[in-house]
Amino acid sequence: DVQVVESGGDLVQPGGSLRLSCVGSGFTFSVFWMNWVRRVPGKGLEWVANISPDGSMGRCVDSMRGRCSVSRDNAESSLSLHMSDLRSEDTGIYYCVAWDASAYWGPGTVVTVSS
Amino acid sequence: DVVLTQSPLSLPVPLGQSASISCRSSQSLVYGDGGTRVNWFHQRPGQTPRRLFADFSKRDSGVPDRFSVSGSGSDFTLEISKVEAEDVGLYFCMQHAHWPHTFGQGTNLEVQ
């Protein structure tokens, strides 16, 4: 069975940092574009970052530029998102999405930025 | 950023009837290679989203042929014929012709 599972969500103070992780199984992780998408209260779904299958191309959305980095380890079928200088508007449910001829979503991990 | 506007946002449909959901983009979703980069997803309550169509018309595995898509450029429609109880939930479009990729607000389909 295909599984995508995120972890690392937490309550963080404004200005803090967080590292989210995702592990995929049941599919060939190394050929999939991997993505982070978040559901922000009152705003809907937003793309956060993506990374190419070989890891050579990774990018974050402009609102997180300089505060976000994405990486992957194909040997471990894992994806990471490191976020810094977190703001209240970064609060949301963060989903790991594997994208290729099929698309697989994880159940999400909750990030709350609040003092 | 490209804005995707879905309508309606709420769609009550009697069992066995048809449903139609519109997704309009603020820019053309035709990519440089000529392909149209719009996708449709369905999310049942309590479940993760399931992709229905990729790149405009590529039906994902297991998607019934009751589901169909039409449109071009910046105006797209998802149609569901003979709605079944299992079709309940949120439908949303998504584009990856332009960065950042963006989503429509979602249409909540209620089966009556």
Side-chain angles (χ1 to χ4, degrees), chain A residues 47 99-102 105-106, chain B residues 41 43 48 51 94 99 101 103:
Chain A
W47 216 274
W99 191 277
D100 189 63
S102 301
W105 291 63
Chain B
F41 290 85
Q43 184 174 20
T48 58
R51 195 175 66 190
M94 172 238 144
W99 183 258
H101 305 158
F103 295 89

Side-chain angles (χ1 to χ4, degrees), chain A residues 45-65:
Chain A
L45 289 167
E46 297 182 347
W47 216 274
V48 177
N50 70 2
I51 188 166
S52 59
D54 65 359
S56 63
M57 292 187 293
R59 57 185 170 179
C60 299
V61 291
D62 284 353
S63 63
M64 296 205 71
R65 192 153 296 172

Side-chain angles (χ1 to χ4, degrees), chain B:
Chain B
D1 296 358
V2 172
V3 177
L4 299 182
T5 303
Q6 285 185 232
S7 62
L9 299 185
S10 181
L11 183 57
V13 183
L15 193 68
Q17 297 300 303
S18 296
S20 180
I21 300 170
S22 169
C23 176
R24 290 190 170 145
S25 173
S26 59
Q27 297 182 37
S28 171
L29 301 184
V30 177
Y31 196 59
D33 60 4
T36 301
R37 302 289 172 87
V38 63
N39 307 271
W40 288 94
F41 290 85
H42 174 213
Q43 184 174 20
R44 293 191 183 102
Q47 295 186 14
T48 58
R50 173 198 187 191
R51 195 175 66 190
L52 300 174
F53 291 93
D55 294 345
F56 177 53
S57 60
K58 296 176 184 174
R59 186 188 304 271
D60 273 76
S61 176
V63 175
D65 57 12
R66 299 185 292 104
F67 291 82
S68 62
V69 291
S70 61
S72 64
S74 60
D75 195 351
F76 305 94
T77 301
L78 173 71
E79 299 197 25
I80 312 169
S81 64
K82 300 177 184 176
V83 164
E84 299 182 2
E86 65 179 19
D87 299 336
V88 67
L90 189 69
Y91 289 83
F92 53 93
C93 54
M94 172 238 144
Q95 68 82 20
H96 60 119
H98 306 275
W99 183 258
H101 305 158
T102 51
F103 295 89
Q105 319 99 299
T107 295
N108 192 37
L109 188 146
E110 174 196 351
V111 180
Q112 297 178 322

